[in-house]
Amino acid sequence: MKLMRPAPLKGEDMFRVLADTIPQIVWITDPKGQAIYYNKYWYEYSGADIEQTNKEGWFQIIHPEDKYGVIKSWQEAIKTGKPYEREYRLKNIKTGEYRWFLGRGVPIRDNDNKINQWVGTSTDIHSQKITLEAQEFLAKASKALSESLNYRLTLKRVASLAVPHIADWCSVEFLEDDKLATPIIAHRDPKKVKWALNLTKNRKIDMEASSGLPQVLRSKTSELYPLITDQMLKAAAKTKKDYALMKKIGFTSVMIVPIIIDNKAIAAIQFVSTESKKQFNRYDLQMAEELATRSALAIQNANLYEAVKQRELQFKALFDANIVGVLFTRLNGTIKDANDAFLQMTGYSQSDLEHGHLNWKTITPSGFKSENKRIIKEILKHGIISPFEKEYIKKDGSQVPVIEGSALLDKKTEDCITFVLDITERKRLEQRKDEFIGIASHELKTPLTSIKGYVQILERIIEQMGDEQLKTYVKKTNTYINRLNSLISDLLDVSKIQAGKMELNFSRFRFDTLVKDAVEAVTHTSPSHKIQINGKTNTVIKGDKHRLEQVFTNLLTNAIKYSPNADKIIVKVLKHKGELTISVQDFGVGIAKKDQSKLFQRFYRVESTAKKFSGLGIGLYISSEIIQRHGGKMWVESIKGKGATFYFTIPTKKQK
Ligand code: ADP
């Protein structure tokens, strides 16, 4: 079969066919603007039939808010004969939905240049318009969100922006302690806001409800109800009164989107359309969700700001409270700022500080130079230095003892914050305590010496009497007197060391003999342990024999005391590179790492063993002082539960 080419269409027919195939509204009016033709799309879009169209024309479906503007532009065009262009919303009569159109009209003139018709089109620009509007709205909202760091205030602004642009009602609901707090509500009419807020006062929301706000908060997913039907209202209303109320509000469409922070919905924004009859679609929901995301960010910012502000306030309170000295320093010595507590402590003034007269290095006594270096190294390595004792030179030249701790604030600039506590009072108290120990031990020592003398006389008498029982009593008395004597001597030593008055009597003697004598003496009093000596030094040293014996006795008696379940102690002596190294090893309770460096402090005793073993915690303090005075070092190596080895060295070269 041969296809027939259709006869070409002419003039008006051609126009109509074309106009009907175009996906736009095409219209023609007479010179006065009276419509005389609409294309097929018009009927499709508006839902109006020919009769309705003839009766009321296009004007009936223009959004009431756009009518005035359209009339004005149209009248202007007819008056001037210039092309017409205007954006407006047109309603679909059947669904009630409005969409945005761009209307354009041009005059058609006859040979005399007189307008005899207007031909125009109305193009659906709804999607572009909505996208553009959404972008504009989000930009405005973002600006509002970034303007304040009070998030309730910010969300109030956002809610106001959403009305009437997106919805007739907008409310932001917050969860506080898992309950709904008073919401933020926006509506064009302030009276309605007040009314709605009143309604929320006594509301009882079933937080377990399977849809609506509780579900959005629980599931962290949005809900969109494009069209609220009467049935839905009935289902949602708990009472007839509720239903009547909802009906009165006139819900058309609802969107609820969660505001999620740290994976928790802390709030939700509800958009409700009522009087505008607008039906939300998925594009509206997308925009609402975007708004919620931006709101979440703003809230997080606000929270962060609030936390920082709070911390700043707390810190300012600490700085101003002047309980401790607070300084902002640099590792090079600069003091950038200091509170009154520090200034008072050191006797400097605010103006000294402002004029840069204060530098922590220059007001630190020269004796602390090596300590300063250690501190700087430590702070650069760990970012913090735990409290240590030092002194500052006051403006009047005297010194103030302090405890100080610092933290590095910025590694690049080496900015630090330093806390300084005046410990003058504590030092005074310590001094008084030391003085007391000195006086008390002295007072005890005098009668003890007399007792010892009388017991010696008694001993001689009993020896002559030959009474064996009395002899053992006197022997025991002597043992206790000796123990008491050595305790008092130790206490006296402590106060001597503190006062820098411990005197050493140097002489030359064979070191190996000292080791042997000390071991023998201890073995004599404590036969429970076998003390083994390994090695020889074959060295004559110059030292205080009595004091070094004291060190040995202390280490050996400790080794025995702290190893009740063992019976062996190993003493090793070694001469190497101009120094003697001596170790005393036991197989007892051992010492945890954290305690090891503290053992040599005055009165320090390991807490876990202090209850089981009696002692004063001064033996090692005295011993290490004696060794230091001999130019040596003392330390310990141990694994808790596996015994301990105490070491000390004595230089044999460069001896005084
Ligand atoms: P004291 O023994 O009188 O307490 P010291 O100054 O001699 O005082 O010792 C200090 C602390 O060190 C002791 O209290 C104990 O906790 C610990 N210590 C000393 N020697 C040993 C050791 N050989 N084994 C385990 N712990 C020890």
Side-chain angles (χ1 to χ4, degrees), residues 443-461:
E443 290 298 314
L444 289 168
K445 188 106 185 175
T446 324
L448 192 68
T449 318
S450 310
I451 294 172
K452 209 173 170 178
Y454 286 116
V455 172
Q456 268 166 9
I457 299 170
L458 264 181
E459 207 174 7
R460 255 178 270 140
I461 298 171

mmCIF file with all atom_site columns, all heavy atoms in Angstrom, residues 443-461:
data_model
loop_
_atom_site.group_PDB
_atom_site.id
_atom_site.type_symbol
_atom_site.label_atom_id
_atom_site.label_alt_id
_atom_site.label_comp_id
_atom_site.label_asym_id
_atom_site.label_entity_id
_atom_site.label_seq_id
_atom_site.pdbx_PDB_ins_code
_atom_site.Cartn_x
_atom_site.Cartn_y
_atom_site.Cartn_z
_atom_site.occupancy
_atom_site.B_iso_or_equiv
_atom_site.pdbx_formal_charge
_atom_site.auth_seq_id
_atom_site.auth_comp_id
_atom_site.auth_asym_id
_atom_site.auth_atom_id
_atom_site.pdbx_PDB_model_num
ATOM 1   N N   . GLU A 1 443 ? 66.037 14.757 122.919 1.00 0.00 ? 443 GLU A N   1
ATOM 2   C CA  . GLU A 1 443 ? 65.527 14.594 124.286 1.00 0.00 ? 443 GLU A CA  1
ATOM 3   C C   . GLU A 1 443 ? 65.451 13.124 124.681 1.00 0.00 ? 443 GLU A C   1
ATOM 4   O O   . GLU A 1 443 ? 65.620 12.767 125.832 1.00 0.00 ? 443 GLU A O   1
ATOM 5   C CB  . GLU A 1 443 ? 64.124 15.234 124.406 1.00 0.00 ? 443 GLU A CB  1
ATOM 6   C CG  . GLU A 1 443 ? 64.120 16.745 124.348 1.00 0.00 ? 443 GLU A CG  1
ATOM 7   C CD  . GLU A 1 443 ? 64.900 17.370 125.502 1.00 0.00 ? 443 GLU A CD  1
ATOM 8   O OE1 . GLU A 1 443 ? 64.713 16.940 126.658 1.00 0.00 ? 443 GLU A OE1 1
ATOM 9   O OE2 . GLU A 1 443 ? 65.740 18.260 125.244 1.00 0.00 ? 443 GLU A OE2 1
ATOM 10  N N   . LEU A 1 444 ? 65.131 12.271 123.687 1.00 0.00 ? 444 LEU A N   1
ATOM 11  C CA  . LEU A 1 444 ? 65.013 10.835 123.977 1.00 0.00 ? 444 LEU A CA  1
ATOM 12  C C   . LEU A 1 444 ? 66.392 10.200 124.148 1.00 0.00 ? 444 LEU A C   1
ATOM 13  O O   . LEU A 1 444 ? 66.584 9.290  124.930 1.00 0.00 ? 444 LEU A O   1
ATOM 14  C CB  . LEU A 1 444 ? 64.260 10.129 122.834 1.00 0.00 ? 444 LEU A CB  1
ATOM 15  C CG  . LEU A 1 444 ? 62.767 10.426 122.725 1.00 0.00 ? 444 LEU A CG  1
ATOM 16  C CD1 . LEU A 1 444 ? 62.220 9.903  121.413 1.00 0.00 ? 444 LEU A CD1 1
ATOM 17  C CD2 . LEU A 1 444 ? 62.005 9.771  123.888 1.00 0.00 ? 444 LEU A CD2 1
ATOM 18  N N   . LYS A 1 445 ? 67.306 10.711 123.348 1.00 0.00 ? 445 LYS A N   1
ATOM 19  C CA  . LYS A 1 445 ? 68.646 10.115 123.320 1.00 0.00 ? 445 LYS A CA  1
ATOM 20  C C   . LYS A 1 445 ? 69.345 10.264 124.690 1.00 0.00 ? 445 LYS A C   1
ATOM 21  O O   . LYS A 1 445 ? 69.997 9.318  125.153 1.00 0.00 ? 445 LYS A O   1
ATOM 22  C CB  . LYS A 1 445 ? 69.474 10.818 122.228 1.00 0.00 ? 445 LYS A CB  1
ATOM 23  C CG  . LYS A 1 445 ? 70.810 10.182 121.972 1.00 0.00 ? 445 LYS A CG  1
ATOM 24  C CD  . LYS A 1 445 ? 70.780 9.440  120.665 1.00 0.00 ? 445 LYS A CD  1
ATOM 25  C CE  . LYS A 1 445 ? 72.084 8.706  120.466 1.00 0.00 ? 445 LYS A CE  1
ATOM 26  N NZ  . LYS A 1 445 ? 72.080 7.895  119.295 1.00 0.00 ? 445 LYS A NZ  1
ATOM 27  N N   . THR A 1 446 ? 69.187 11.432 125.353 1.00 0.00 ? 446 THR A N   1
ATOM 28  C CA  . THR A 1 446 ? 69.903 11.683 126.610 1.00 0.00 ? 446 THR A CA  1
ATOM 29  C C   . THR A 1 446 ? 69.541 10.651 127.693 1.00 0.00 ? 446 THR A C   1
ATOM 30  O O   . THR A 1 446 ? 70.424 9.958  128.196 1.00 0.00 ? 446 THR A O   1
ATOM 31  C CB  . THR A 1 446 ? 69.656 13.131 127.085 1.00 0.00 ? 446 THR A CB  1
ATOM 32  O OG1 . THR A 1 446 ? 69.592 13.958 125.931 1.00 0.00 ? 446 THR A OG1 1
ATOM 33  C CG2 . THR A 1 446 ? 70.709 13.619 128.042 1.00 0.00 ? 446 THR A CG2 1
ATOM 34  N N   . PRO A 1 447 ? 68.199 10.498 128.007 1.00 0.00 ? 447 PRO A N   1
ATOM 35  C CA  . PRO A 1 447 ? 67.911 9.484  129.043 1.00 0.00 ? 447 PRO A CA  1
ATOM 36  C C   . PRO A 1 447 ? 68.290 8.073  128.596 1.00 0.00 ? 447 PRO A C   1
ATOM 37  O O   . PRO A 1 447 ? 68.700 7.253  129.412 1.00 0.00 ? 447 PRO A O   1
ATOM 38  C CB  . PRO A 1 447 ? 66.405 9.598  129.263 1.00 0.00 ? 447 PRO A CB  1
ATOM 39  C CG  . PRO A 1 447 ? 65.883 10.391 128.147 1.00 0.00 ? 447 PRO A CG  1
ATOM 40  C CD  . PRO A 1 447 ? 66.991 11.200 127.579 1.00 0.00 ? 447 PRO A CD  1
ATOM 41  N N   . LEU A 1 448 ? 68.176 7.827  127.271 1.00 0.00 ? 448 LEU A N   1
ATOM 42  C CA  . LEU A 1 448 ? 68.498 6.488  126.783 1.00 0.00 ? 448 LEU A CA  1
ATOM 43  C C   . LEU A 1 448 ? 69.976 6.151  127.034 1.00 0.00 ? 448 LEU A C   1
ATOM 44  O O   . LEU A 1 448 ? 70.320 5.030  127.422 1.00 0.00 ? 448 LEU A O   1
ATOM 45  C CB  . LEU A 1 448 ? 68.179 6.360  125.294 1.00 0.00 ? 448 LEU A CB  1
ATOM 46  C CG  . LEU A 1 448 ? 68.205 4.933  124.769 1.00 0.00 ? 448 LEU A CG  1
ATOM 47  C CD1 . LEU A 1 448 ? 67.064 4.114  125.349 1.00 0.00 ? 448 LEU A CD1 1
ATOM 48  C CD2 . LEU A 1 448 ? 68.129 4.915  123.253 1.00 0.00 ? 448 LEU A CD2 1
ATOM 49  N N   . THR A 1 449 ? 70.823 7.168  126.851 1.00 0.00 ? 449 THR A N   1
ATOM 50  C CA  . THR A 1 449 ? 72.253 6.951  127.104 1.00 0.00 ? 449 THR A CA  1
ATOM 51  C C   . THR A 1 449 ? 72.464 6.593  128.579 1.00 0.00 ? 449 THR A C   1
ATOM 52  O O   . THR A 1 449 ? 73.235 5.680  128.912 1.00 0.00 ? 449 THR A O   1
ATOM 53  C CB  . THR A 1 449 ? 73.057 8.229  126.742 1.00 0.00 ? 449 THR A CB  1
ATOM 54  O OG1 . THR A 1 449 ? 72.545 8.743  125.519 1.00 0.00 ? 449 THR A OG1 1
ATOM 55  C CG2 . THR A 1 449 ? 74.533 7.945  126.588 1.00 0.00 ? 449 THR A CG2 1
ATOM 56  N N   . SER A 1 450 ? 71.708 7.304  129.495 1.00 0.00 ? 450 SER A N   1
ATOM 57  C CA  . SER A 1 450 ? 71.829 6.992  130.924 1.00 0.00 ? 450 SER A CA  1
ATOM 58  C C   . SER A 1 450 ? 71.357 5.573  131.194 1.00 0.00 ? 450 SER A C   1
ATOM 59  O O   . SER A 1 450 ? 72.014 4.800  131.901 1.00 0.00 ? 450 SER A O   1
ATOM 60  C CB  . SER A 1 450 ? 70.998 7.954  131.767 1.00 0.00 ? 450 SER A CB  1
ATOM 61  O OG  . SER A 1 450 ? 71.277 9.250  131.385 1.00 0.00 ? 450 SER A OG  1
ATOM 62  N N   . ILE A 1 451 ? 70.188 5.212  130.595 1.00 0.00 ? 451 ILE A N   1
ATOM 63  C CA  . ILE A 1 451 ? 69.637 3.857  130.818 1.00 0.00 ? 451 ILE A CA  1
ATOM 64  C C   . ILE A 1 451 ? 70.684 2.822  130.411 1.00 0.00 ? 451 ILE A C   1
ATOM 65  O O   . ILE A 1 451 ? 70.953 1.856  131.117 1.00 0.00 ? 451 ILE A O   1
ATOM 66  C CB  . ILE A 1 451 ? 68.335 3.645  130.011 1.00 0.00 ? 451 ILE A CB  1
ATOM 67  C CG1 . ILE A 1 451 ? 67.230 4.572  130.543 1.00 0.00 ? 451 ILE A CG1 1
ATOM 68  C CG2 . ILE A 1 451 ? 67.871 2.187  130.059 1.00 0.00 ? 451 ILE A CG2 1
ATOM 69  C CD1 . ILE A 1 451 ? 65.962 4.597  129.723 1.00 0.00 ? 451 ILE A CD1 1
ATOM 70  N N   . LYS A 1 452 ? 71.272 3.095  129.215 1.00 0.00 ? 452 LYS A N   1
ATOM 71  C CA  . LYS A 1 452 ? 72.269 2.175  128.690 1.00 0.00 ? 452 LYS A CA  1
ATOM 72  C C   . LYS A 1 452 ? 73.418 2.005  129.711 1.00 0.00 ? 452 LYS A C   1
ATOM 73  O O   . LYS A 1 452 ? 73.865 0.881  129.983 1.00 0.00 ? 452 LYS A O   1
ATOM 74  C CB  . LYS A 1 452 ? 72.801 2.699  127.357 1.00 0.00 ? 452 LYS A CB  1
ATOM 75  C CG  . LYS A 1 452 ? 73.256 1.576  126.461 1.00 0.00 ? 452 LYS A CG  1
ATOM 76  C CD  . LYS A 1 452 ? 73.615 2.069  125.097 1.00 0.00 ? 452 LYS A CD  1
ATOM 77  C CE  . LYS A 1 452 ? 74.287 0.929  124.383 1.00 0.00 ? 452 LYS A CE  1
ATOM 78  N NZ  . LYS A 1 452 ? 74.638 1.244  123.041 1.00 0.00 ? 452 LYS A NZ  1
ATOM 79  N N   . GLY A 1 453 ? 73.859 3.108  130.301 1.00 0.00 ? 453 GLY A N   1
ATOM 80  C CA  . GLY A 1 453 ? 74.947 3.080  131.279 1.00 0.00 ? 453 GLY A CA  1
ATOM 81  C C   . GLY A 1 453 ? 74.574 2.238  132.491 1.00 0.00 ? 453 GLY A C   1
ATOM 82  O O   . GLY A 1 453 ? 75.334 1.356  132.912 1.00 0.00 ? 453 GLY A O   1
ATOM 83  N N   . TYR A 1 454 ? 73.337 2.502  133.004 1.00 0.00 ? 454 TYR A N   1
ATOM 84  C CA  . TYR A 1 454 ? 72.915 1.747  134.186 1.00 0.00 ? 454 TYR A CA  1
ATOM 85  C C   . TYR A 1 454 ? 72.775 0.262  133.879 1.00 0.00 ? 454 TYR A C   1
ATOM 86  O O   . TYR A 1 454 ? 73.105 -0.595 134.692 1.00 0.00 ? 454 TYR A O   1
ATOM 87  C CB  . TYR A 1 454 ? 71.609 2.317  134.748 1.00 0.00 ? 454 TYR A CB  1
ATOM 88  C CG  . TYR A 1 454 ? 71.833 3.645  135.457 1.00 0.00 ? 454 TYR A CG  1
ATOM 89  C CD1 . TYR A 1 454 ? 71.282 4.827  134.998 1.00 0.00 ? 454 TYR A CD1 1
ATOM 90  C CD2 . TYR A 1 454 ? 72.635 3.677  136.609 1.00 0.00 ? 454 TYR A CD2 1
ATOM 91  C CE1 . TYR A 1 454 ? 71.511 6.031  135.636 1.00 0.00 ? 454 TYR A CE1 1
ATOM 92  C CE2 . TYR A 1 454 ? 72.877 4.887  137.258 1.00 0.00 ? 454 TYR A CE2 1
ATOM 93  C CZ  . TYR A 1 454 ? 72.304 6.057  136.770 1.00 0.00 ? 454 TYR A CZ  1
ATOM 94  O OH  . TYR A 1 454 ? 72.546 7.231  137.405 1.00 0.00 ? 454 TYR A OH  1
ATOM 95  N N   . VAL A 1 455 ? 72.266 -0.049 132.694 1.00 0.00 ? 455 VAL A N   1
ATOM 96  C CA  . VAL A 1 455 ? 72.099 -1.461 132.318 1.00 0.00 ? 455 VAL A CA  1
ATOM 97  C C   . VAL A 1 455 ? 73.466 -2.134 132.245 1.00 0.00 ? 455 VAL A C   1
ATOM 98  O O   . VAL A 1 455 ? 73.625 -3.299 132.645 1.00 0.00 ? 455 VAL A O   1
ATOM 99  C CB  . VAL A 1 455 ? 71.319 -1.611 130.990 1.00 0.00 ? 455 VAL A CB  1
ATOM 100 C CG1 . VAL A 1 455 ? 71.330 -3.056 130.501 1.00 0.00 ? 455 VAL A CG1 1
ATOM 101 C CG2 . VAL A 1 455 ? 69.878 -1.178 131.173 1.00 0.00 ? 455 VAL A CG2 1
ATOM 102 N N   . GLN A 1 456 ? 74.462 -1.392 131.792 1.00 0.00 ? 456 GLN A N   1
ATOM 103 C CA  . GLN A 1 456 ? 75.823 -1.957 131.728 1.00 0.00 ? 456 GLN A CA  1
ATOM 104 C C   . GLN A 1 456 ? 76.330 -2.288 133.146 1.00 0.00 ? 456 GLN A C   1
ATOM 105 O O   . GLN A 1 456 ? 76.930 -3.345 133.379 1.00 0.00 ? 456 GLN A O   1
ATOM 106 C CB  . GLN A 1 456 ? 76.769 -0.984 131.045 1.00 0.00 ? 456 GLN A CB  1
ATOM 107 C CG  . GLN A 1 456 ? 76.845 -1.243 129.547 1.00 0.00 ? 456 GLN A CG  1
ATOM 108 C CD  . GLN A 1 456 ? 77.497 -0.102 128.797 1.00 0.00 ? 456 GLN A CD  1
ATOM 109 O OE1 . GLN A 1 456 ? 78.052 0.824  129.403 1.00 0.00 ? 456 GLN A OE1 1
ATOM 110 N NE2 . GLN A 1 456 ? 77.427 -0.183 127.480 1.00 0.00 ? 456 GLN A NE2 1
ATOM 111 N N   . ILE A 1 457 ? 76.038 -1.359 134.116 1.00 0.00 ? 457 ILE A N   1
ATOM 112 C CA  . ILE A 1 457 ? 76.432 -1.621 135.513 1.00 0.00 ? 457 ILE A CA  1
ATOM 113 C C   . ILE A 1 457 ? 75.729 -2.882 136.005 1.00 0.00 ? 457 ILE A C   1
ATOM 114 O O   . ILE A 1 457 ? 76.325 -3.803 136.551 1.00 0.00 ? 457 ILE A O   1
ATOM 115 C CB  . ILE A 1 457 ? 76.092 -0.414 136.420 1.00 0.00 ? 457 ILE A CB  1
ATOM 116 C CG1 . ILE A 1 457 ? 76.858 0.836  135.941 1.00 0.00 ? 457 ILE A CG1 1
ATOM 117 C CG2 . ILE A 1 457 ? 76.410 -0.707 137.905 1.00 0.00 ? 457 ILE A CG2 1
ATOM 118 C CD1 . ILE A 1 457 ? 76.428 2.123  136.601 1.00 0.00 ? 457 ILE A CD1 1
ATOM 119 N N   . LEU A 1 458 ? 74.369 -2.925 135.706 1.00 0.00 ? 458 LEU A N   1
ATOM 120 C CA  . LEU A 1 458 ? 73.572 -4.096 136.110 1.00 0.00 ? 458 LEU A CA  1
ATOM 121 C C   . LEU A 1 458 ? 74.166 -5.380 135.527 1.00 0.00 ? 458 LEU A C   1
ATOM 122 O O   . LEU A 1 458 ? 74.285 -6.395 136.200 1.00 0.00 ? 458 LEU A O   1
ATOM 123 C CB  . LEU A 1 458 ? 72.143 -3.944 135.575 1.00 0.00 ? 458 LEU A CB  1
ATOM 124 C CG  . LEU A 1 458 ? 71.084 -3.355 136.516 1.00 0.00 ? 458 LEU A CG  1
ATOM 125 C CD1 . LEU A 1 458 ? 69.745 -3.312 135.801 1.00 0.00 ? 458 LEU A CD1 1
ATOM 126 C CD2 . LEU A 1 458 ? 70.959 -4.218 137.788 1.00 0.00 ? 458 LEU A CD2 1
ATOM 127 N N   . GLU A 1 459 ? 74.553 -5.296 134.267 1.00 0.00 ? 459 GLU A N   1
ATOM 128 C CA  . GLU A 1 459 ? 75.094 -6.445 133.544 1.00 0.00 ? 459 GLU A CA  1
ATOM 129 C C   . GLU A 1 459 ? 76.326 -6.997 134.291 1.00 0.00 ? 459 GLU A C   1
ATOM 130 O O   . GLU A 1 459 ? 76.462 -8.213 134.472 1.00 0.00 ? 459 GLU A O   1
ATOM 131 C CB  . GLU A 1 459 ? 75.491 -6.000 132.131 1.00 0.00 ? 459 GLU A CB  1
ATOM 132 C CG  . GLU A 1 459 ? 75.444 -7.124 131.127 1.00 0.00 ? 459 GLU A CG  1
ATOM 133 C CD  . GLU A 1 459 ? 75.701 -6.612 129.708 1.00 0.00 ? 459 GLU A CD  1
ATOM 134 O OE1 . GLU A 1 459 ? 76.039 -5.412 129.535 1.00 0.00 ? 459 GLU A OE1 1
ATOM 135 O OE2 . GLU A 1 459 ? 75.575 -7.415 128.790 1.00 0.00 ? 459 GLU A OE2 1
ATOM 136 N N   . ARG A 1 460 ? 77.183 -6.021 134.677 1.00 0.00 ? 460 ARG A N   1
ATOM 137 C CA  . ARG A 1 460 ? 78.405 -6.442 135.374 1.00 0.00 ? 460 ARG A CA  1
ATOM 138 C C   . ARG A 1 460 ? 78.062 -7.121 136.710 1.00 0.00 ? 460 ARG A C   1
ATOM 139 O O   . ARG A 1 460 ? 78.587 -8.167 137.067 1.00 0.00 ? 460 ARG A O   1
ATOM 140 C CB  . ARG A 1 460 ? 79.324 -5.240 135.598 1.00 0.00 ? 460 ARG A CB  1
ATOM 141 C CG  . ARG A 1 460 ? 80.501 -5.283 134.613 1.00 0.00 ? 460 ARG A CG  1
ATOM 142 C CD  . ARG A 1 460 ? 81.381 -4.085 134.783 1.00 0.00 ? 460 ARG A CD  1
ATOM 143 N NE  . ARG A 1 460 ? 80.944 -2.986 133.930 1.00 0.00 ? 460 ARG A NE  1
ATOM 144 C CZ  . ARG A 1 460 ? 80.910 -1.707 134.268 1.00 0.00 ? 460 ARG A CZ  1
ATOM 145 N NH1 . ARG A 1 460 ? 81.253 -1.341 135.481 1.00 0.00 ? 460 ARG A NH1 1
ATOM 146 N NH2 . ARG A 1 460 ? 80.532 -0.793 133.415 1.00 0.00 ? 460 ARG A NH2 1
ATOM 147 N N   . ILE A 1 461 ? 77.100 -6.534 137.472 1.00 0.00 ? 461 ILE A N   1
ATOM 148 C CA  . ILE A 1 461 ? 76.716 -7.095 138.779 1.00 0.00 ? 461 ILE A CA  1
ATOM 149 C C   . ILE A 1 461 ? 76.170 -8.514 138.589 1.00 0.00 ? 461 ILE A C   1
ATOM 150 O O   . ILE A 1 461 ? 76.545 -9.460 139.276 1.00 0.00 ? 461 ILE A O   1
ATOM 151 C CB  . ILE A 1 461 ? 75.677 -6.188 139.476 1.00 0.00 ? 461 ILE A CB  1
ATOM 152 C CG1 . ILE A 1 461 ? 76.284 -4.808 139.750 1.00 0.00 ? 461 ILE A CG1 1
ATOM 153 C CG2 . ILE A 1 461 ? 75.168 -6.830 140.785 1.00 0.00 ? 461 ILE A CG2 1
ATOM 154 C CD1 . ILE A 1 461 ? 75.297 -3.766 140.230 1.00 0.00 ? 461 ILE A CD1 1
#
